[in-house]
Amino acid sequence: MTETRAPAGGARAADVDVVVVGAGFAGLYLLHKLRGLGFSVRVLEAAGDVGGTWYWNRYPGARCDIPTTDYTYSFDPALEAAWTWSEKYATQPEILRYAQFVAERYDLRRDIDFNTRVEAAHWDAAASRWRIRTSTDASVSAQHYIMASGCLSVPKAPDIPGAGRFQGPVYSTGRWPHQGVDFTGQRVAVIGTGSSGVQSIPLIAEQAAQLTVFQRTPNYSIPAGNGPVAPERRAPLEADRAAYRLAAKWSRAGVPSTPTQIYGRYSTPDVHAERFESAWKSGELVPILGVFADQILFPDSNAIVAGKVREKIRAVVANPETAELLCPKDHHFGTKRPCLDTGYYQTYNRPNVRLVDLRSQPITSITETGIDAGGEAMRFDAIVYATGFDAMTGAIVAVDITGRDGVTLKAKWAAGPITYLGLMSVGFPNFFMITGPGSPSVLSNMMVSIEQHVDWVSDCLVRLRNDGLTTIEPTPQAEAGWMQHSQDCAAITLFPSADSWYMGANVPGKPRVFLPYVGGVDAYRKACDEVVARGDLGLRRSGPAGTRCNDGLVRQLQPDVGMVLDMLAAMNLPTFDSMPPAAARAFLAQLSAARPPGPAVGEVKDGTFPGAAGPLNYRLYRPATPGPHPVVLYYHGGGWVLGSHDSDDPLLRDLCVRSGCLIVSVDYRHAPEARFPAAVDDAMAALRWVSTNATSLGGAAGPVAVAGWSAGANQAAVVSQLARDQGGPAIAGQLLLTPVTDGDRNTASYRENAEGYVLTASLMQWFFDHYADEADRHDPRIAPLRAASLAGLPPACIVTGQFDPLRDEGVAYAKALAAAGNRVQHIPARGHTHTSLTMIDVVVSGEPVRAEMAAALRGFFQPATVAA
Ligand SMILES: Cc1cc2nc3c(=O)[nH]c(=O)nc-3n(C[C@H](O)[C@H](O)[C@H](O)COP(=O)(O)OP(=O)(O)OC[C@H]3O[C@@H](n4cnc5c(N)ncnc54)[C@H](O)[C@@H]3O)c2cc1C
C-alpha cells in the first residue's frame, strides 16, 4: 500500500499515503496513530514548532477553559500516567510544554515540516492522488489529504478604519510575540472582549499605566476559581480512569456530567438560586451551561440564568454605568461561548482602567498615535487586538482546495460549509477534516472530539485498505441529509438567535450558517459509529476491487424525537399491549404525571356533559385573551381504550394559547368495556352538547370546529361525516392529528414503522381487538376513508408523522378529501412519530407544526382569509 520513497539524505518523502495539515493536538495524534497503522504520513505546519493553538496564543492569561482533568489526550494510558497537570486550568506555557512532551515521546517531529504553509491541494483524478503545494515550494502528493488545521487558527483581521496607521507596537492575541511583552508604564488599548480579551485584560491592567478597553459586545463570564485540581474533581478520575474517559466520550460536551431534568420555567425561585449558585461556584462551563434542562431551548428559562449572571456583574463592578455596559443583554446565555476569567470584572474597579462602549462611542479611526472614538482622540503606546478568529472554516478555505472536476471547496462552500458528518465533502475524494463544520468541535471539549475524529478517520482508511479500495467520498444524499439534521439540531435551540462566531457573524461577508453540530458529542459519536456499522452508510468507496456504496441517511428523526426514543428505549418500559386495559390506563396516567405541564391558559375548568349513555367528563381551556373565543371540540387519543379529558392536557394548553380558541376536551366510553360504536355515539353526543352550549360555555356563537389526535382524530373525522349525513350540527373545520382513518393495517408505513416509534403495529392491533369486531372494521364510523362519499365535508387540516404506522392512511385521507372537493391542508411532519408532536416542552421541533395546526384552527373560523 505505501508509496513512500525512502527519504534521501534526511529529505522527507514527496509521495506519501497521507498528508496532514497542522501540528496541533489533532495533527500530532493523527501522525502518531496513522504511523502506527503502517501509513506513511507527512505533516505540514506553518508554525515553527508543534502545539497549534498553544503555539500561537501566547498572550498574558491564556489558559484552557475546559479543566485539564478533561482537556488532555486519553488515547494512551501510559501518556496519562507520565504527565501531571499543575492546575485546574493550565496556562498556555504548560499546555505548549505538554504538546512538546507528546511530540518527543512519540518521536513525531521527524515527520513534520515546520514553517511550511500549505497553499493549494488539487485532486489529480487520473492518479487518484492529492497534489499539494506549499509556501516552501515543496511539492508533495498523497492518497489522502487531511486538514487538521484548527477551528480557531486564523485570527480575524481587525475591520477598523485606519488599522495599520498606528506607529506604535500592535499585538494580536492570536499571534503573540514569543518573547512576551512588557507593558509597564504604558498606555495600552485592548480592542475586543471575547475570551482572549477577558483572559488578558486583568494581567495587562496590572502592568500598564493606563488600560482602555474597547468593547462592542459584552460577553458573559464566570470566575474560573483556578488553583490546584479539587480533590472531588480528581477522585473519579483516579478511581477508574478508563471509566471516566469512557463517560467523557459518551457525554454531551466531552466532559463527564449528569444532565439535569429540571426545567427552569417550571421550577421555583429557590431551586433557581440553588442550582445557579452551585454551577457558579464550580467555575466550569459545563455546569453553568446546564443549570436547567431547558435553558438553551426557551428564552424564559435562559433569562433566569442570564439575569443571575448580570446580578453577579453588578455586585462586583463599583461604577453602575460601567457595570451596565458590561452586562450582556443582546444574546441569550450560552449562545456565545461564555468566558472563564480570573478577576475580569474586578479589573474595572481599578483607577487605571477605562471601558469604552463602541456602540455609543464608535471608533472613527485608528491614528498614528492612538484611537479616535466618538469625537475623542485617545493616545496610546500600544494597541492589542483581541478580535477573535475566522472560526471553523477560515483555515480550510484559506487553502486552494480543488476537488473533482476542478471545483474548489471555497466555491462549494460559498453559502456556508457543506459536509457529511463534518468529516468529508462531496466532490473531494479522500479529503478529511478534523473537527470540521457539522461536527461538535468547538461546542465540546476539543480533545475528546479530536480523538474521536482521528480514530474514525484512521479506522476508515484501514477499512479502505483492507477492502482493496483506494478512494472514498460521501454521496450527495448522505451529505444533504446530514446538513438537514445538523440544522434541525440548531433550530430547536436558541443558538442561531445570536450574532456569534458559531454563526460566522463576526466576519464581515461570511455566510450566516450555524457551523458546529449541536446534537452533542454522544449523539454525534453514535451517528458516526452507526455509519460504520451500516456498511459505510452514505459513502462511495472504490478502487481496483470495484465500487461499493450503501447510500442512505444516518439520521432522519428530528433530534429531540430521537433523544426521547433513546431515553424510552433505555428505560425499557413495559408496553401497553402487554398489560390488561386497566393497568395500561393506570400506567398512562403515571407517565402523564411526569411530563412538563405545558403553558398556563386563562382558565381551565372541569365539568360533565350528557354522553349517549350517561354523564361524561370534559375539560375546558379558555384563552387569557378577551373573548368570546371560537370553540373547538377535542377528542383525546388512546386507541379507544386509553386516555381521558386529562391525558392530552399539555397539548391542549399549547393549542389554546397558540390558537386563541376555547377548547372543550371530552371523554367518551372506552373499550373493551364499551365496544364500537359506543365511542362514536358519545362523540356525537358531545358534538351536539358543545354546539348547543357554545355560548353558555363562554364561547363565540356559530359552528364549532372538531379536533383530535390518533383515535380521537378518528372520532373527529367520523363525527364530521355523521353530522353531514344527519343534517347537523354544522362543523367549522376538522383538525386531525395523526388520525386513524382505516381499519386495515397493511400500508407501507405500517410495515416501515411497525416497531421502535412508540405506537407499534402490535399496539394498534391490541387497540382494534379491544374496540371492534373484525367485521365492523370497514364501517366508515371506524374507517372514515371508506365512506361512500367524502364530498361536502368541513375543511380539514391533517397532520401526519413521517415515522408513524398511521402515516399512509392519514395521507390517503387527505388526498381523498381533496379529491372529493373539500378544502384540505396536509402537514407532513418530517422526522416526527405518532406521539412526538404532543410532547410539549420536550419535543421542541414540534413547535412549528403545532403553530401551523393552531393557524389552521383559527382559519376554520375565518374561511375567507384562509381561502385567500
Ligand atoms: C485561547 C484559546 C483557548 C482554547 N481553550 C480551549 C479549551 O479549554 N478547551 C477546548 O476544548 N478547546 C480550546 N480551544 C480550542 C483549541 O483550538 C482546541 O482545543 C485545540 O487546540 C485545536 O487543536 P487542532 O490541532 O485541531 O488545531 P490547532 O491547535 O489550531 O492547530 C492547527 C495548526 O494548523 C496550522 N495550519 C493551519 N492552516 C495551515 C496551512 N494552510 N498550512 C500549514 N499549517 C496550517 C496552524 O498553524 C496550527 O498550528 C482554545 C482555543 C484558543 C484560541
Side-chain angles (χ1 to χ4, degrees), residues 246-537:
L246 191 66
K249 287 178 204 280
W250 289 101
S251 66
R252 277 194 76 73
V255 178
S257 63
T258 311
T260 180
Q261 300 298 324
I262 295 175
Y263 274 49
R265 56 173 27 181
Y266 297 129
S267 48
T268 61
D270 286 354
V271 172
H272 296 166
E274 185 202 317
R275 290 198 58 78
F276 174 80
E277 287 301 332
S278 132
W280 183 262
K281 279 194 201 97
S282 76
E284 289 187 39
L285 290 181
V286 170
I288 200 81
L289 290 167
V291 176
F292 304 120
D294 57 345
Q295 81 186 52
I296 200 64
L297 302 179
F298 306 123
D300 54 351
S301 177
N302 191 284
I304 300 165
V305 181
K308 287 187 180 296
V309 178
R310 288 194 287 266
E311 280 171 26
K312 294 282 187 191
I313 297 170
R314 291 181 187 119
V316 169
V317 180
N319 179 324
E321 269 174 42
T322 308
E324 267 336 284
L325 290 176
L326 289 166
C327 282
K329 289 168 194 141
D330 74 337
H331 63 280
H332 298 296
F333 181 79
T335 53
K336 295 184 178 189
R337 193 182 180 103
C339 306
L340 284 188
D341 72 88
T342 303
Y344 177 64
Y345 293 115
Q346 289 81 350
T347 298
Y348 292 93
N349 295 338
R350 296 175 66 100
N352 67 332
V353 175
R354 174 183 172 196
L355 180 67
V356 174
D357 169 35
L358 291 178
R359 290 180 194 267
S360 59
Q361 196 176 343
I363 295 180
T364 36
S365 182
I366 308 274
T367 65
E368 285 70 14
T369 54
I371 296 175
D372 288 352
E376 187 184 344
M378 289 171 252
R379 295 177 77 84
F380 294 109
D381 301 309
I383 297 180
V384 175
Y385 289 111
T387 41
F389 300 91
D390 183 352
M392 297 204 73
T393 55
I396 300 175
V397 298
V399 176
D400 164 18
I401 300 174
T402 306
R404 269 193 295 109
D405 309 321
V407 176
T408 65
L409 194 66
K410 196 172 181 175
K412 179 179 170 184
W413 287 10
I418 306 173
T419 70
Y420 185 38
L421 302 167
L423 277 163
M424 286 174 268
S425 198
V426 173
F428 300 83
N430 295 3
F431 166 67
F432 299 88
M433 292 159 283
I434 303 300
T435 63
S439 75
S441 88
V442 289
L443 288 180
S444 66
N445 172 4
M446 293 282 276
M447 283 299 216
V448 169
S449 291
I450 285 171
E451 287 192 347
Q452 189 242 341
H453 267 190
V454 171
D455 291 343
W456 195 93
V457 171
S458 308
D459 291 351
C460 174
L461 298 195
V462 168
R463 274 197 312 284
L464 205 63
R465 181 172 66 185
N466 292 347
D467 292 344
L469 301 168
T470 49
T471 60
I472 181 164
E473 187 187 332
T475 66
Q477 182 189 193
E479 184 175 79
W482 184 256
M483 292 320 292
Q484 177 71 66
H485 173 64
S486 192
Q487 292 305 319
D488 284 348
C489 289
I492 60 176
T493 70
L494 297 171
F495 277 110
S497 67
D499 280 342
S500 64
W501 56 259
Y502 297 141
M503 285 289 285
N506 63 328
V507 178
K510 190 165 172 173
R512 296 287 178 101
V513 181
F514 196 76
L515 297 167
Y517 175 78
V518 194
V521 164
D522 46 357
Y524 177 76
R525 180 180 296 269
K526 197 169 166 220
C528 290
D529 289 357
E530 208 176 306
V531 163
V532 176
R534 290 168 69 184
D536 281 299
L537 184 70

Side-chain angles (χ1 to χ4, degrees), residues 21-27 44-47 51-54 56-57 59 63-66 71 116-118 147-153 196 199 337 389 395 399 435 444-447 450:
V21 184
F25 285 129
L44 306 173
E45 168 58 66
T53 294
W54 306 102
W56 296 109
N57 289 271
Y59 59 85
R63 288 176 191 271
C64 54
D65 63 6
I66 295 285
Y71 188 66
T116 305
R117 177 165 294 283
V118 173
M147 289 296 271
S149 46
C151 290
L152 302 171
S153 57
S196 305
Q199 285 187 336
R337 193 182 180 103
F389 300 91
V399 176
T435 63
S444 66
N445 172 4
M446 293 282 276
M447 283 299 216
I450 285 171

